[in-house]
Amino acid sequence: MADPARARKLAKRISQIVAHAIEHDIKDPRLNYVTITDTKITADLHDATVYYTVLGENLESTPDHTGAAAALESAHGVLRTKVGQGTGVRYTPTLTFVADSIPEDAKRIEDLLAKAREADAEVARRATGAQHAGEPDPYKAPREEADDDEFADEESRS
């Protein structure tokens, strides 16, 4: 088992190597909008999972996830060779590419927050001009102490 700090450094280096190879060495147009977001490596340094996102050409276009996955799978051998040459470790880790779900999760959270803001605005709109259902002061007022004159009258009767 490798040192955790060494594993983190190797994972970061693998991310850099794969990103550089995708940008400069591999000429597949399906990889033009692929971004490497993270890499995790097992404790024995034998298996690396590379997370990636695919962006669209512009904000309105949908990204080509299947094309990017196919391009990464076809370039798998070249990328592993580049990782082996760039890291200098005895055993070159196997690479597994996983589409990162962070952009979709972020969009879902933004949609939920927008829905919550709309609900809050609706509650605030309904609350304007609203009145309480009961009395203005729902708490009972404490009984006032009997005046000294009344107390004196009661004593005299007894």
Side-chain angles (χ1 to χ4, degrees), residues 57-68:
E57 290 183 31
N58 52 37
L59 293 176
E60 289 79 30
S61 66
T62 58
D64 183 19
H65 292 286
T66 56

Side-chain angles (χ1 to χ4, degrees), residues 18-115:
V18 170
H20 184 270
I22 287 173
E23 185 177 354
H24 297 289
D25 299 333
I26 299 173
K27 303 297 182 203
D28 194 335
R30 298 175 293 182
L31 295 177
N32 286 344
Y33 300 103
V34 171
T35 303
I36 304 301
T37 57
D38 194 16
T39 300
K40 303 287 183 195
I41 194 161
T42 58
D44 61 357
L45 306 180
H46 282 246
D47 300 309
T49 304
V50 180
Y51 295 93
Y52 67 94
T53 59
V54 183
L55 304 174
E57 290 183 31
N58 52 37
L59 293 176
E60 289 79 30
S61 66
T62 58
D64 183 19
H65 292 286
T66 56
L72 285 170
E73 191 59 38
S74 69
H76 181 266
V78 173
L79 291 172
R80 187 166 183 225
T81 302
K82 295 281 184 188
V83 167
Q85 292 170 349
T87 57
V89 293
R90 179 177 292 168
Y91 180 81
T92 302
T94 60
L95 299 178
T96 305
F97 294 98
V98 176
D100 202 351
S101 64
I102 288 177
E104 291 83 19
D105 292 344
K107 180 165 177 18
R108 185 177 58 83
I109 289 171
E110 286 296 324
D111 292 343
L112 290 172
L113 287 172
K115 192 183 290 186

